[in-house]
Amino acid sequence: MTLRNNKSRQLRDMLNSPELEFILEAHNGISAKLVQQAGFKGIWASGLALSTQFCVRDSNEASWTQVVDMLEFMSDATEVPILLDGDTGYGNFNNMRRLVRKLEQRGIAGVCIEDKEFPKTNSFIGSEKQALADISEFCGKIRAGKDSQQDPDFCIVARVEALIAGWGMDEALKRATAYCAAGADAILIHSRQSRPDEIIEFARQWDGACPLVIVPTKYYSTPVDVFRKAGISLVIWANHMIRASVRAMENTSREIFEQQSLVDVEDLITDVDSIFQLQGADELLRAQERYLDNASECQALVLAASRGNNLYELTEDRPKAMLKIRGKPLLQRLVDEFKKHAINDITVIAGYKSESLTVGSVDIRLNDRYESTGELYSLACARDKFTDDMVITYGDLLFRSYILQDLLDRDGEIVIVVDSLVDDVEISGTLDYAWCDRPDDRSLFMQEVSLEHITEGKPVEPVKPSGRWTGMMRVRTQGRQWLEQALEELENQAGFDQLTLPDLLNHLVRRGRTVTVHYINGHWLDVNSVNDIDRAVDFTSD
Ligand code: SPV
Ligand code: MG
């Protein structure tokens, strides 16, 4: 039976296409996926990069089966063809036969073998001292590979190292011609010079018996039109994903070590949600819906009905939650933050210019009396969305990711986030100062602290406040019952329309309910003034 692999077909088409094509290095499942996501039509499974990710030398120290195991993850993660840098074929003609069969079984589209001796050394290490394979022995290896493949489209690329080893142009051309005649589907002509001259000269003298492949690692500044004009078929960018990740990992590990904290790093690195996306977590969630009972999830309620009067003309056509910071509305940033923490059921309570709330995948509840009512009235507009696990926030907040994560991890029926750095922050707008039953002891994590009361505006009490409420709270089953009861009680009082969330919290405390305080120290802000917008720009990095 003939085995046909669409990926091999794609690689063959790239080699034979009249266009100049490009493939980029990858060395594991995730890098392969990212190369494909960037738009590349193919992947170079580089020997250098694969050995680097194992942290061994590019001298066949990793066994060929270890390489093939990794290739399977790469192939499973992608739909584009993978060309393996198969070094010397890991042995003689017989090893080559087995290699080709195993590669086909793992969905690999082709293999490139080089005319050196096993164990090989990277072309850029002492290249002139490297011995080349005997031409007829190498041709036998190519023939053995071609005879072993079941898929007629599987590609064998023969790599000529004569220029690397300093054997000259004639030798390179002689070898390429022999390898082509032995059945190679393409010739990779390699050079270690910083200019493309010898590659161009090779291409000029080449009779076109099969397509040419190059690896411009050393002559990287050459414009690709030069290759196009020279009739090259395929360019391999051979090691740039591993080099990029080594640099990123060096920087991140150093920063975390020096800071003894993740806070400065968190927003500079890929968020965990994006990692889940790359892994295909959505598919697993859908499968769980099909095969498992659904577990309940935390939901979010966002108060975004107000205009933000201190922002003047900036909020002429939108509520302040839709103000853009670095091109992205505050509300969108909040929604992204919730999604990062798998909070996907998000309800926004809109009012002023509600038609401009163009943030996707959120439910909207409308407070159409936003002009004459306060926050509590807005919250009551979303009563039908109350659940036994919810986060309630103002719509103008920016905060570091860990704050929401810690809030979600925190025990308590009603938990509010209070910033104990009251003196240190430049603040504007309405200030919700919190007095708690004990001050923040920064040597303790997740201390047992309860709210005593919150005051809006400048504190007049002689006792310094314990902190400033950020406008974020978490409510669980029992807390939801307290909250609904409190709303009913307050609704029957005169002046309900003007009440705020602090009024609600004070009412709860007066009724003997425990409102747990989760202390933080900065790393957040809300936008109440034009100055706050500048601070918000500084605060964000994307
Ligand atoms: C590799 O990527 O492992 C290669 C190309 O063989 S090079 O390192 O340029 O020789
Ligand atoms: Mg290599």
Side-chain angles (χ1 to χ4, degrees):
M1 187 189 75
T2 306
L3 186 99
R4 272 199 183 261
N5 171 348
N6 184 261
K7 292 179 176 179
S8 303
R9 178 80 230 171
Q10 290 174 50
L11 179 60
R12 178 167 295 279
D13 288 348
M14 282 173 86
L15 286 169
N16 293 325
S17 115
E19 303 296 323
L20 179 62
E21 305 279 4
F22 301 89
I23 61 177
L24 177 62
E25 169 262 313
H27 48 270
N28 56 18
I30 191 68
S31 54
K33 180 114 190 176
L34 292 172
V35 168
Q36 170 177 291
Q37 189 175 282
F40 282 92
K41 289 159 67 181
I43 292 165
W44 171 244
S46 152
L48 172 62
L50 281 159
S51 54
T52 307
Q53 61 82 40
F54 286 126
C55 199
V56 296
R57 285 160 290 214
D58 187 15
S59 306
N60 296 117
E61 290 186 344
S63 74
W64 73 272
T65 52
Q66 288 169 324
V67 169
V68 170
D69 281 346
M70 183 60 86
L71 288 173
E72 185 168 4
F73 283 99
M74 295 168 64
S75 171
D76 286 350
T78 50
E79 286 85 49
V80 296
I82 297 173
L83 174 62
L84 169 66
D85 171 7
D87 295 342
T88 57
Y90 310 111
N92 71 3
F93 79 94
N94 192 35
N95 304 89
M96 179 68 180
R97 296 196 299 183
R98 189 165 172 78
L99 175 67
V100 169
R101 286 200 297 271
K102 291 294 142 190
L103 291 180
E104 285 195 317
Q105 286 166 11
R106 310 275 171 129
I108 303 306
V111 61
C112 173
I113 53 169
E114 60 197 82
D115 54 357
K116 293 212 293 255
E117 287 176 359
F118 180 90
K120 51 76 48 118
T121 308
N122 186 276
S123 300
F124 302 137
I125 299 178
S127 50
E128 61 290 347
K129 295 198 196 85
Q130 293 184 21
L132 294 189
D134 173 76
I135 295 183
S136 66
E137 191 265 341
F138 194 71
C139 286
K141 210 182 266 186
I142 295 169
R143 286 205 312 278
K146 291 306 295 176
D147 288 346
S148 308
Q149 70 187 60
Q150 290 192 32
D151 179 351
D153 290 324
F154 184 86
C155 299
I156 295 185
V157 177
R159 166 165 159 178
V160 175
E161 290 280 291
L163 300 177
I164 291 277
W167 289 33
M169 189 61 68
D170 290 347
E171 180 70 18
L173 286 160
K174 181 170 90 185
R175 283 174 175 262
T177 305
Y179 303 159
C180 221
D185 298 292
I187 294 295
L188 189 160
I189 180 70
H190 205 10
S191 165
R192 61 186 153 93
Q193 292 185 354
S194 59
R195 291 174 51 89
D197 302 7
E198 59 182 8
I199 293 297
I200 304 301
E201 180 55 20
F202 180 94
R204 196 186 64 75
Q205 293 192 41
W206 179 240
D207 61 6
C210 59
L212 292 182
V213 180
I214 58 168
V215 182
T217 303
K218 292 285 178 186
Y219 47 101
Y220 64 89
S221 60
T222 312
V224 294
D225 272 345
V226 173
F227 307 142
R228 226 170 241 123
K229 211 161 136 198
I232 306 296
S233 290
L234 181 69
V235 169
I236 298 175
W237 309 122
N239 48 38
H240 302 83
M241 293 297 274
I242 192 80
R243 287 164 59 194
S245 25
V246 166
R247 171 65 60 83
M249 289 190 280
E250 272 172 351
N251 289 344
T252 305
S253 56
R254 191 182 310 116
E255 184 76 16
I256 295 174
F257 179 76
E258 284 170 4
Q259 300 298 326
Q260 293 192 352
S261 164
L262 303 176
V263 169
D264 283 336
V265 157
E266 180 62 28
D267 295 339
L268 298 178
I269 58 179
T270 302
D271 56 70
V272 177
D273 208 32
S274 307
I275 299 283
F276 293 153
Q277 235 175 346
L278 288 163
Q279 291 170 318
D282 285 357
E283 192 282 331
L284 181 55
L285 285 180
R286 285 195 299 278
Q288 278 168 347
E289 272 167 28
R290 269 203 311 281
Y291 302 121
L292 296 174
D293 283 343
N294 274 339
S296 76
E297 277 178 7
C298 184
Q299 315 200 18
L301 294 179
V302 181
L303 298 172
S306 72
R307 167 172 179 175
N309 289 334
N310 295 338
L311 291 151
Y312 308 103
E313 68 273 15
L314 289 176
T315 53
E316 209 161 61
D317 60 344
R318 65 192 70 193
K320 80 172 160 177
M322 288 306 288
L323 279 179
K324 288 187 178 170
I325 306 295
R326 293 185 192 266
K328 199 191 227 188
L330 281 164
L331 187 59
Q332 183 67 59
R333 290 178 177 276
L334 201 51
V335 166
D336 290 350
E337 205 58 58
F338 283 130
K339 296 204 159 169
K340 254 197 226 174
H341 293 86
I343 300 176
N344 294 313
D345 190 340
I346 302 164
T347 301
V348 176
I349 299 123
Y352 175 72
K353 301 281 178 197
S354 57
E355 66 287 354
S356 69
L357 283 177
T358 49
V359 170
S361 61
V362 297
D363 272 353
I364 302 278
R365 290 290 176 277
L366 205 59
N367 173 6
D368 45 18
R369 293 186 51 222
Y370 62 89
E371 270 174 305
S372 57
T373 59
E375 295 156 13
L376 210 49
Y377 187 93
S378 281
L379 183 65
C381 293
R383 208 186 230 135
D384 66 308
K385 294 292 291 186
F386 286 4
T387 61
D388 286 353
D389 192 358
M390 53 185 172
V391 171
I392 301 173
T393 72
Y394 294 146
D396 61 349
L397 290 188
L398 286 173
F399 48 84
R400 297 276 177 250
S401 296
Y402 77 91
I403 293 178
L404 180 55
Q405 186 58 53
D406 288 350
L407 179 63
L408 295 175
D409 290 343
R410 180 80 207 218
D411 289 336
E413 286 306 316
I414 296 188
V415 186
I416 63 170
V417 180
V418 170
D419 182 3
S420 65
L421 279 185
V422 256
D423 292 336
D424 304 11
V425 267
E426 187 196 316
I427 30 191
S428 60
T430 309
L431 307 176
D432 301 329
Y433 285 109
W435 278 263
C436 308
D437 65 354
R438 70 192 63 172
D440 185 12
D441 177 348
R442 292 179 64 177
S443 67
L444 295 176
F445 188 54
M446 302 243 180
Q447 315 152 56
E448 288 297 318
V449 183
S450 302
L451 177 72
E452 289 184 336
H453 72 282
I454 296 194
T455 310
E456 260 189 54
K458 290 246 179 300
V460 285
E461 277 105 309
V463 187
K464 194 171 164 284
S466 319
R468 187 184 166 206
W469 181 42
T470 56
M472 285 176 93
M473 63 197 269
R474 170 90 181 276
V475 179
R476 290 197 175 83
T477 312
Q478 173 96 79
R480 172 189 174 180
Q481 288 165 18
W482 297 344
L483 187 116
E484 283 176 340
Q485 195 187 0
L487 271 179
E488 263 173 46
E489 290 164 359
L490 292 168
E491 265 169 345
N492 292 324
Q493 291 181 11
F496 171 74
D497 285 2
Q498 305 310 321
L499 294 185
T500 60
L501 288 189
D503 292 326
L504 171 75
L505 292 171
N506 287 333
H507 182 81
L508 286 165
V509 173
R510 276 199 300 275
R511 295 273 300 162
R513 310 302 189 199
T514 301
V515 175
T516 303
V517 169
H518 175 71
Y519 277 129
I520 60 167
N521 315 116
H523 298 138
W524 72 285
L525 56 84
D526 52 1
V527 175
N528 292 305
S529 66
V530 179
N531 273 354
D532 289 341
I533 294 180
D534 293 338
R535 290 171 55 225
V537 170
D538 290 345
F539 186 83
T540 50
S541 58
D542 61 337

